[in-house]
Amino acid sequence: MKYLIAHQNRLILADPELGVVLDRIDLSLSFDSEYEIERYPVLPGYELVRMSEVPGSAKVVDLRAELERSDPFQYQLLSRAQQLLNWRVNHQFCGRCGGGMAFGLTEMVLKCTDCGHHAYPRLSPCIITLVEDGDRILLAHNAKFTPNRFSTLAGFIDAGETAEQAVAREVKEEVGVEISDIRYFKSQQWPFPDSLMLAFFAQYAGGDIKPDGREILEGRWFTKEELHTVVLPPKFAISRALIDDWVARQG
Ligand SMILES: [Zn+2]
């Protein structure tokens, strides 16, 4: 059995070979206890436990760096663990009546012990899109990015909106251009904190690039040859998969 230990909203990998003695820990479900610990089913062979102190022998990992090194199975494991952790930490009380929450016995759910309200693990659907125009693609510099980093456009799907409507709206809002021919690519869980990224390609259909100046500071067209002049998203991110797919199609 391997363990993922959640501590101050960070994940730590540990297993018995590393000398972590889990049977010394009080199995209280209270968040107030000195050694608070909760167990979640994560994936076969793994458990997520929540502790107030990190065992000295535990291997502390940076989640982004760990995801970058991960194979698809490990990526799913770490992403799921992080999302379940965020969900549990952020649902300590019922959103309807303020009562206490307890785990359901037959499915992954938190149920209010007073009114019975159900809270499932939170997923926030987002779109992410690469706008193409022949031999060039539109990438943008987000206000949160490190200097010279460019990526595809992304945003949360609004209430009542289809994914395709969100793609067109976000592109218009963030860089001011029109698009057409929106095509689904694939999806990825992104545990910062709980996004389900739905990736699309879209064709440029008109308008000049006008960054919104708030979220997006700069938008620019890039040919395949120009991509090496900027910092692109990391290999494990679906934004990079969109770009790499386009590059491969350029021959
Ligand atoms: Zn309630």
Side-chain angles (χ1 to χ4, degrees):
M1 177 70 77
K2 293 186 188 310
Y3 299 94
L4 298 159
I5 297 171
H7 180 71
Q8 294 176 349
N9 293 338
R10 298 178 68 201
L11 287 183
I12 295 154
L13 296 176
D15 64 44
E17 290 167 20
L18 292 170
V20 179
V21 185
L22 287 162
D23 60 4
R24 275 191 199 158
I25 296 161
D26 181 0
L27 290 175
S28 166
L29 288 178
S30 165
F31 275 81
D32 300 325
S33 64
E34 184 187 355
Y35 286 108
E36 52 192 31
I37 176 169
E38 294 199 38
R39 289 167 179 272
Y40 305 85
V42 177
L43 281 177
Y46 288 82
E47 257 188 298
L48 174 63
V49 296
R50 187 164 183 271
M51 304 168 74
S52 58
E53 285 178 23
V54 179
S57 56
K59 175 189 170 201
V60 178
V61 298
D62 175 78
L63 184 57
R64 282 177 192 263
E66 204 67 24
L67 288 172
E68 192 151 10
R69 282 196 282 276
S70 296
D71 63 29
F73 175 78
Q74 290 168 323
Y75 184 100
Q76 184 179 18
L77 158 74
L78 292 168
S79 177
R80 176 170 167 77
Q82 178 71 9
Q83 285 173 259
L84 293 178
L85 169 66
N86 291 336
W87 167 62
R88 185 64 186 100
V89 167
N90 293 328
H91 289 82
Q92 297 183 45
F93 301 98
C94 174
R96 188 157 68 188
C97 78
M101 303 296 273
F103 279 107
L105 297 177
T106 57
E107 59 180 344
M108 183 62 85
V109 66
L110 285 164
K111 289 183 188 171
C112 175
T113 53
D114 291 339
C115 78
H117 177 63
H118 285 40
Y120 290 94
R122 182 181 159 132
L123 293 179
S124 301
C126 293
I127 59 84
I128 184 160
T129 186
L130 180 67
V131 179
E132 303 180 24
D133 184 32
D135 65 351
R136 58 182 193 164
I137 52 175
L138 201 170
L139 299 179
H141 178 75
N142 189 294
K144 293 178 190 159
F145 285 178
T146 50
N148 203 38
R149 181 170 169 190
F150 279 77
S151 186
T152 53
L153 298 166
F156 289 104
I157 299 176
D158 209 346
E161 201 174 43
T162 66
E164 290 80 0
Q165 287 168 337
V167 171
R169 176 183 55 74
E170 284 287 346
V171 171
K172 182 72 179 170
E173 283 177 3
E174 292 189 348
V175 292
V177 306
E178 307 287 342
I179 55 169
S180 63
D181 301 317
I182 297 165
R183 285 183 297 120
Y184 179 67
F185 176 49
K186 59 184 177 181
S187 65
Q188 181 184 42
Q189 293 282 348
W190 188 252
F192 304 105
D194 49 33
S195 294
L196 172 61
M197 309 300 296
L198 306 172
F200 295 84
F201 293 104
Q203 291 295 320
Y204 169 71
D208 296 327
I209 296 175
K210 290 195 202 77
D212 66 14
R214 199 169 36 85
E215 195 171 342
I216 300 298
L217 301 184
E218 186 182 357
R220 224 197 280 172
W221 291 108
F222 289 85
T223 63
K224 186 175 72 170
E225 291 74 23
E226 289 166 335
L227 289 174
H228 75 277
T229 63
V230 293
V231 180
L232 294 176
K235 280 282 183 190
F236 72 98
I238 200 165
S239 49
R240 181 61 172 269
L242 280 162
I243 295 168
D244 288 351
D245 187 275
W246 176 81
V247 168
R249 282 188 276 118
Q250 297 307 295

